[in-house]
Amino acid sequence: MRMSELAREAGLPTATVKFYLREGLLPEGERTSATQAQYGEAHVERLRLIRALVGPAGQSIAETRRILRAIENPPSDYDLLGIAHQSVTPERDEGVDLTRARALIDRLGWNSAYCAPDSLGALEEALQALTAGGFELTDEVFDRYASAMMGVAIDEVTDVPTDSASSAARFVTLGTVLIEPLLLSLRRLAQQSASAERFGGIAPSPPPAP
Amino acid sequence: MRMSELAREAGLPTATVKFYLREGLLPEGERTSATQAQYGEAHVERLRLIRALVGPAGQSIAETRRILRAIENPPSDYDLLGIAHQSVTPERDEGVDLTRARALIDRLGWNSAYCAPDSLGALEEALQALTAGGFELTDEVFDRYASAMMGVAIDEVTDVPTDSASSAARFVTLGTVLIEPLLLSLRRLAQQSASAERFGGIAPSPPPAP
């Protein structure tokens, strides 16, 4: 198909498709003349994936490029999570002191030696933001969050497909970024439901008409 | 203190402080002349909170303004979560069909009538992104995520302070946005620890020297 059909098929403006081409997120089509190229079903799928990543998952163009690269060039062994997480984590200031984050992880009985510095840095920054916001987090509450996330993670790691490095890389990389908005929306909906039970509360909108 | 001292105290460039003033995130200081004003400890604290919100929590300037407003003008009753969530949720395209999201919430035994359309829309968008990414989510896996998040939410709703609407609003609004990066970093760290157990794996960096 031509560029204009590709754009229509993917539900995107042609200018956006051209932008993704220029940024190297979308592979070139097959040239049929100096000004025209043909695109196939793989291009449509790739555009849907890009939309998913830059839309709800909120990844930047640079992050999206890293994610697509990780999916295309899977590591040959199963030390995937570190590589996948690196590919989806924005690079951090190396000056962040990770001492507290490492100590917290080790206190939980997890293994900070296997944790990526970027992820430990993200934990440290989240804790600093809570302090800056005047939001007190007790050890008990921290441990509760950690234990809920370990429950989630154990199931996820168990589910990683092991038939090929490529499907494992896809599962891990997309699972990391695409599940995040799902988890956060479920948390808010759970809070709203639980809050209605605790405080009563006014339904924010009438239920849909039958 | 003067603007330059305020900036130093908050660890921000003066230009950034001026930008927050212009954007109305930071209240004006007390004018001492046509070109000078005095700032106090409350301004320093406000700047720390703004840094926390636009930094790790990744809120935009418009979202940060909504959050600060919700904290300053708490609702008079305890129907807080809806208001707090609205104040931290970017406005969504009203065209999103919420039928599937409502059905999923009701199947979980939660109460979709008490759920904000924006949050249901976020769930629907997260599900669409998973589909677009070719990431299959079974009912069983969805229910597992939902149940983990309900566990988290029940504890959080139980912890909402009820001494004043103002402290409740602060807890709910900041708790929503500032806990999100904490949860996501803990999930990645838990995945890395659990993955090291399942697959062995190479530590991404040597543990800190003793």
Side-chain angles (χ1 to χ4, degrees):
Chain A
M1 69 192 89
R2 292 200 192 166
M3 160 82 76
S4 56
E5 293 164 81
L6 172 65
R8 199 174 331 118
E9 196 72 19
L12 287 168
T14 310
T16 306
V17 176
K18 286 185 181 162
F19 172 69
Y20 293 153
L21 264 176
R22 274 201 311 278
E23 290 288 329
L25 301 185
L26 184 70
E28 300 284 336
E30 203 182 326
R31 286 249 159 254
T32 52
S33 78
T35 55
Q36 287 205 339
Q38 284 290 316
Y39 301 88
E41 202 46 47
H43 289 91
V44 179
E45 266 178 41
R46 166 60 63 99
L47 282 174
R48 289 204 181 112
L49 177 53
I50 296 170
R51 273 187 73 174
L53 291 169
V54 301
Q59 305 295 307
S60 71
I61 295 298
E63 285 156 4
T64 301
R65 190 182 294 115
R66 278 203 294 273
I67 291 166
L68 295 172
R69 208 170 284 158
I71 292 173
E72 279 163 5
N73 307 299
S76 54
D77 63 3
Y78 285 109
D79 189 28
L80 282 164
L81 271 160
I83 293 153
H85 284 173
Q86 262 170 24
S87 70
V88 298
T89 309
E91 287 190 25
R92 261 159 215 292
D93 182 0
E94 295 204 352
V96 178
D97 181 357
L98 304 179
T99 313
R100 169 168 65 168
R102 281 193 200 282
L104 282 169
I105 293 302
D106 289 334
R107 177 168 67 70
L108 291 167
W110 302 4
N111 194 338
S112 71
Y114 289 101
C115 289
D118 281 349
S119 305
L120 290 164
L123 172 60
E124 176 60 31
E125 287 184 9
L127 292 170
Q128 285 178 9
L130 283 162
T131 307
F135 195 96
E136 200 198 345
L137 193 73
T138 62
D139 283 358
E140 190 198 334
V141 173
F142 176 83
D143 290 0
R144 224 164 59 191
Y145 284 125
S147 135
M149 287 303 103
M150 183 49 100
V152 163
I154 285 174
D155 286 329
E156 289 174 323
V157 167
T158 307
D159 285 349
V160 173
T162 52
D163 54 322
S164 77
S166 138
S167 63
R170 193 179 169 85
F171 181 90
V172 168
T173 314
L174 292 183
T176 298
V177 291
L178 295 181
I179 295 293
E180 290 182 350
L182 178 77
L183 277 177
L184 297 183
S185 68
L186 283 172
R187 172 172 171 247
R188 292 192 185 187
L189 291 163
Q191 287 176 337
Q192 290 159 16
S193 296
S195 166
E197 296 231 335
R198 178 170 179 204
F199 297 118
I202 304 145
S205 69
Chain B
M1 68 191 90
R2 291 197 191 169
M3 160 82 75
S4 56
E5 291 165 82
L6 172 65
R8 199 174 330 119
E9 196 72 21
L12 286 169
T14 309
T16 307
V17 175
K18 284 185 181 161
F19 172 69
Y20 292 153
L21 263 177
R22 274 202 309 278
E23 289 289 328
L25 302 184
L26 184 70
E28 300 282 337
E30 204 181 325
R31 286 250 160 254
T32 51
S33 78
T35 56
Q36 288 204 337
Q38 285 289 316
Y39 301 88
E41 202 46 48
H43 289 92
V44 178
E45 265 179 41
R46 166 59 63 99
L47 282 174
R48 290 204 181 113
L49 177 54
I50 296 170
R51 274 185 72 174
L53 291 169
V54 302
Q59 304 297 306
S60 71
I61 295 298
E63 284 156 5
T64 300
R65 190 183 293 116
R66 278 204 294 274
I67 292 167
L68 294 172
R69 209 170 283 157
I71 293 173
E72 278 162 4
N73 308 299
S76 53
D77 63 3
Y78 286 109
D79 189 27
L80 282 165
L81 270 160
I83 292 153
H85 284 173
Q86 262 169 22
S87 69
V88 298
T89 309
E91 287 189 26
R92 263 161 212 292
D93 181 359
E94 295 204 352
V96 179
D97 181 356
L98 304 179
T99 313
R100 169 168 65 168
R102 281 192 201 281
L104 283 169
I105 293 301
D106 289 334
R107 178 168 67 68
L108 292 167
W110 303 4
N111 194 339
S112 71
Y114 289 101
C115 290
D118 280 350
S119 304
L120 291 163
L123 172 60
E124 176 60 30
E125 287 184 8
L127 292 169
Q128 285 179 8
L130 283 161
T131 307
F135 195 96
E136 199 198 346
L137 194 73
T138 63
D139 283 359
E140 191 198 333
V141 173
F142 176 84
D143 290 0
R144 224 163 59 191
Y145 284 125
S147 137
M149 287 301 105
M150 184 48 100
V152 163
I154 286 174
D155 286 329
E156 289 174 323
V157 167
T158 308
D159 285 350
V160 172
T162 52
D163 55 322
S164 76
S166 141
S167 62
R170 191 179 171 86
F171 181 90
V172 167
T173 314
L174 293 184
T176 297
V177 291
L178 295 182
I179 294 294
E180 290 183 350
L182 178 76
L183 277 176
L184 297 183
S185 69
L186 283 172
R187 173 173 171 246
R188 291 192 184 188
L189 291 163
Q191 287 176 337
Q192 291 160 16
S193 297
S195 167
E197 297 231 334
R198 178 171 177 203
F199 297 119
I202 303 145
S205 69

